[in-house]
Amino acid sequence: MEQFRQRAKELVAKMTFGEKLTQLRYDAPAIDRLGIPAYNWWNEGLHGVARAGAATVFPQAIAMAASFDEALVFDCANAISDEARAKYNEYRTFGDTEIYQGLTYWSPNINIFRDPRWGRGHETYGEDVLLTARLGTAFVKGLQEGKNPDPRYRKLDATLKHYAVHSGPEADRHGFNAEVSEEDLFETYLAAFAYCITHAKPSAVMGAYNRVNGEACCASKWLLQDILRDRLGFDGYVVSDCGAICDINEHHHLTETAAESAALALNSGCTLNCGSAYQYLKTAAVMGLITEETVTAACEQLFFARFRLGMFDEDCSYDKIPYSVVECDEHRAISRRLAQESIVLLKNDGILPLGSCGQIAVIGPNADDKSVLLGNYNGTPSRYSTLLAGIRSAADSRGIHVRYAVGCDIFDDTPRPWAEQPLREAILAARASDVVVLCMGLNPTFEGEEGDAYNGTMSGDKRDLELPPPQKKLFAEIVKTGKPIVFVNVSGSCINLTEQDAQCAAVLQCFYPGAEGGDALADILFGTVSPSGRLPVTFYKSAEDLPPFADYSMKGRTYRFFEGEPLYPFGYGLTYSEIREEWLSERELKLTNCGDADTGYVALHFAPAPDKRLLDFRRVFLKAGEACTVQFDF
């Protein structure tokens, strides 16, 4: 590592002050006289290489969390880093790399999903600190090291985001001030960052848009130096969220000009700027607000990262990763297995797994919708299986006929005399079938990032936890047919499923499951695989049970501090078998599969009330009649 630091120091010493300034931008231009190609630092890999053409699309982060499977999340991240390297190896044959073609990835999102109304919550690993910390660590290690680490070079750079105390509201994020107590700050909002930094050594941290207790996240010595570096031990580089530094003067009003904002950010420890603010650093220098010494130190840090990734060498083993790994069978198999493990069985009166039946009606706006597979920050799969396609394929192989009807629009119930009226078709399909698989919920246009979602007034956040009105109407009409219903809720967050729990034979939660999602769901429905996922978030009955969205106190939030009665608690999930738990000691748990089905199982170890926090978890696989003993560390 020291040789890379020395090489970075020597290279930066050859640059002019103006050249150094340009290298602190995410879209760093070439310096031809020094043999430095242009490099764009912006790449996304939340659950697969994103926005760079064909790639394996794995289940969304919240779905990974439902698996509680650290080893498989590591395998997923290793596959992503293989595909990222393969793409980079080909892209650089053009002489440089453009946006989404490099090696510095702005993932994972380890913010705590404190409120189910936050639109970006499905990018996270849920509401629990330990689950987020351990899965985040597995993901970072998979990206940066992979299964076959090169002893000299880093495979990719991973970036923890968004630092800090960031989880909505999206509409106000550019000027929002999150007010938190010291206890909530360190025990909840920063705990996963601290764990990942200690255990995975991430290359980078991304500063958030908001303020924390009055200080801008991308320009706070308290956050970036006193806490992040001095207290948490982070030694990498900090990148701003895109446009966040301009927010400091435009929306937070902590400075008067962009030059002052840029200087404040750089002097506070923000190394790299995504956005346009650092083009004003030259003005800031003229004003005497920054020194060349500070600029040089930041520049050296960034070139150290590039040298460590092997960008300027010919002997990096990762350069040999071929393009054939992109969407290869092995990676698609990982995606399917992760999707299987992420599906949570919430209710089952015995109807599942589906046995011999003549006809199945697959109904609902999410049944044949590709977008619900992909979530956001996603790649483009060249092969994919919608829920309908997966069910139909599995049913065909069993001689079962499938009828399909969309039933309603996912959210729009505006009456239009000339428009198709799909409700009656759904009722007819239900009447003619032995069982109805009802696929409802949300899609990524309902919940997402500001600017990505359709509902401009909420900027991607949710107003409530309810199904959209057209789906409620369709549900009521299908219930009237009297046919048994297997309800599949597809969403990246909690939905009020009180009526479905009361009136359906089975209820499953299918978080955005990736390109193999339809086949994975069919594996569960027909019993090829026993469900084993657990909820990474609490499923509340109503948003009225929660504190105001903009209140960042943890009181009344998540399983640890919620004082009401949830519909389904954090960590809840059924299997097709019966697992008996027998505590042998405080840290030793015997598990026995007393049922007939082989199944995965996640054992959870909680602290006793009033603490209630998750202390440890272990995923195991038990064949029918098999027993094992699990040792917990905490």
Side-chain angles (χ1 to χ4, degrees):
M1 291 301 173
E2 285 307 312
Q3 63 168 309
F4 295 145
R5 294 190 189 280
Q6 184 60 33
R7 290 173 67 185
K9 186 180 183 69
E10 291 172 357
L11 182 60
V12 172
K14 299 175 183 177
M15 298 179 191
T16 66
F17 182 55
E19 287 172 336
K20 293 175 190 177
L21 292 177
T22 67
Q23 298 302 302
L24 306 189
R25 296 169 11 200
Y26 79 98
D27 52 347
I31 305 177
D32 293 329
R33 71 181 187 86
L34 297 177
I36 299 172
Y39 181 69
N40 196 304
W41 291 77
W42 188 346
N43 304 275
E44 303 288 356
L46 182 64
H47 56 118
V49 177
R51 302 174 180 175
T56 305
V57 178
F58 297 89
Q60 175 64 296
I62 193 69
M64 295 186 202
S67 77
F68 282 73
D69 193 334
E70 291 170 274
L72 194 54
V73 169
F74 173 87
D75 289 346
C76 169
N78 175 69
I80 293 169
S81 60
D82 277 351
E83 296 193 12
R85 269 286 178 171
K87 284 179 172 287
Y88 170 78
N89 292 342
E90 296 300 320
Y91 288 139
R92 65 177 182 164
T93 62
F94 294 94
D96 59 16
T97 55
E98 299 176 331
I99 191 170
Y100 311 132
Q101 298 177 359
L103 298 176
T104 46
Y105 274 71
W106 294 351
S107 298
N109 182 341
I110 61 167
N111 293 134
I112 297 301
F113 196 180
R114 66 181 180 93
D115 192 299
R117 290 165 288 195
W118 184 36
R120 299 189 71 179
H122 57 97
E123 299 176 27
T124 76
Y125 299 119
E127 68 182 37
D128 180 70
V129 168
L130 180 69
L131 180 61
T132 298
R134 282 174 46 180
L135 294 189
T137 293
F139 195 85
V140 170
K141 286 184 175 180
L143 288 187
Q144 296 194 156
E145 302 169 12
K147 287 188 174 180
N148 300 296
D150 187 300
R152 293 185 63 200
Y153 299 103
R154 184 152 282 184
K155 195 175 184 184
L156 297 181
D157 276 6
T159 305
L160 304 182
K161 65 183 187 184
H162 307 83
Y163 183 83
V165 195
H166 177 74
S167 52
E170 284 292 301
D172 301 328
R173 65 182 184 171
H174 296 285
F176 186 76
N177 180 37
E179 298 181 359
V180 291
S181 67
E182 183 173 359
E183 180 180 8
D184 285 344
L185 178 65
F186 288 103
E187 292 189 6
T188 298
Y189 293 112
L190 297 185
F193 284 91
Y195 187 100
C196 288
I197 288 167
T198 298
H199 293 85
K201 307 297 182 186
S203 299
V205 165
M206 175 178 281
Y209 287 110
N210 53 281
R211 281 171 287 151
V212 175
N213 295 342
E215 299 203 22
C217 292
C218 292
S220 167
K221 180 180 177 297
W222 168 61
L223 286 171
L224 299 181
Q225 184 64 49
D226 299 345
I227 295 178
L228 182 62
R229 296 191 183 279
D230 296 344
R231 181 164 177 165
L232 304 187
F234 176 68
D235 64 356
Y237 56 93
V238 174
V239 56
S240 73
D241 209 335
C242 299
I245 295 176
C246 288
D247 286 343
I248 296 170
N249 56 286
E250 293 178 359
H251 300 291
H252 295 301
H253 305 298
L254 298 178
T255 57
E256 296 292 328
T257 66
E260 292 173 333
S261 297
L264 182 62
L266 182 64
N267 289 332
S268 298
C270 185
T271 324
L272 181 68
N273 173 219
C274 181
S276 60
Y278 276 12
Q279 68 181 335
Y280 297 100
L281 284 177
K282 192 170 185 178
T283 302
V286 172
M287 296 171 64
L289 300 178
I290 61 171
T291 66
E292 184 166 2
E293 181 182 16
T294 301
V295 172
T296 298
C299 200
E300 288 176 353
Q301 194 171 43
L302 295 177
F303 273 92
F304 165 71
R306 292 179 68 174
F307 277 115
R308 186 173 56 181
L309 287 163
M311 290 185 183
F312 299 94
D313 296 335
E314 301 295 330
D315 61 343
C316 179
S317 62
Y318 303 126
D319 293 344
K320 298 181 176 68
I321 296 177
Y323 202 81
S324 58
V325 303
V326 176
E327 276 196 302
C328 66
D329 290 344
E330 179 184 354
H331 293 177
R332 293 177 62 242
I334 293 171
S335 182
R336 183 166 178 168
R337 182 181 164 198
L338 190 48
Q340 292 165 349
E341 292 187 3
S342 74
I343 294 171
V344 186
L345 179 61
L346 299 173
K347 177 185 178 181
N348 185 20
D349 69 359
I351 194 172
L352 294 179
L354 294 174
S356 58
C357 56
Q359 298 196 53
I360 296 174
V362 179
I363 297 171
N366 279 345
D368 202 30
D369 181 4
K370 177 183 176 183
S371 77
V372 301
L373 306 176
L374 306 183
N376 70 352
Y377 282 92
N378 56 279
T380 303
S382 59
R383 290 182 288 179
Y384 61 89
S385 171
T386 65
L387 307 187
L388 172 64
I391 294 170
R392 177 173 282 148
S393 176
D396 286 347
S397 68
R398 292 166 170 80
I400 300 172
H401 180 66
V402 172
R403 293 175 179 266
Y404 165 64
V406 66
C408 67
D409 186 89
I410 191 166
F411 71 89
D412 188 5
D413 59 353
T414 305
R416 297 183 179 92
W418 60 87
E420 180 181 359
Q421 301 296 311
L423 177 59
R424 290 183 176 180
E425 188 72 13
I427 295 171
L428 293 175
R431 287 176 180 173
S433 299
D434 301 307
V435 62
V436 177
V437 178
L438 201 51
C439 302
M440 292 187 174
L442 306 180
N443 69 28
T445 65
F446 273 82
E447 47 183 353
E449 188 171 4
E450 178 204 36
D452 287 350
Y454 85 94
N455 60 344
T457 57
M458 293 293 289
S459 297
D461 294 329
K462 298 186 319 192
R463 292 179 177 82
D464 53 43
L465 309 182
E466 303 303 313
L467 286 171
Q471 296 187 53
K472 285 190 172 184
K473 181 179 179 181
L474 173 61
F475 177 74
E477 293 299 321
I478 299 303
V479 168
K480 289 178 185 177
T481 68
K483 295 303 176 74
I485 298 172
V486 175
F487 192 88
V488 180
N489 184 67
V490 188
S491 65
S493 58
C494 157
I495 296 294
N496 175 13
L497 300 177
T498 305
E499 290 187 33
Q500 289 68 36
D501 183 72
Q503 300 187 67
C504 296
V507 180
L508 299 100
Q509 173 62 29
C510 185
F511 296 104
Y512 302 134
E516 306 299 315
D519 287 333
L521 176 63
D523 292 335
I524 298 293
L525 292 177
F526 290 99
T528 304
V529 175
S530 170
S532 58
R534 289 184 179 267
L535 291 178
V537 290
T538 302
F539 268 49
Y540 306 97
K541 298 176 183 178
S542 170
E544 295 179 359
D545 295 337
L546 296 167
F549 184 22
D551 180 358
Y552 266 75
S553 168
M554 290 304 298
K555 183 178 181 181
R557 301 186 183 283
T558 75
Y559 76 96
R560 287 196 62 197
F561 308 106
F562 183 60
E563 297 177 353
E565 184 69 29
L567 178 62
Y568 304 117
F570 168 87
Y572 183 76
L574 306 173
T575 74
Y576 288 155
S577 201
E578 179 187 347
I579 307 299
R580 185 176 68 228
E581 295 187 350
E582 180 185 359
W583 286 93
L584 304 179
S585 68
E586 185 180 356
R587 298 184 180 182
E588 194 173 31
L589 177 64
K590 182 179 180 180
L591 302 172
T592 305
N593 186 344
C594 302
D596 299 327
D598 300 345
T599 188
Y601 188 76
V602 179
L604 304 177
H605 183 21
F606 289 96
D611 187 359
K612 298 191 302 182
R613 65 190 173 94
L614 182 65
L615 297 176
D616 200 0
F617 60 89
R618 292 286 186 273
R619 171 175 272 277
V620 299
F621 186 84
L622 291 168
K623 293 183 178 181
E626 188 177 18
C628 74
T629 299
V630 173
Q631 297 282 346
F632 292 112
D633 290 339
F634 300 96

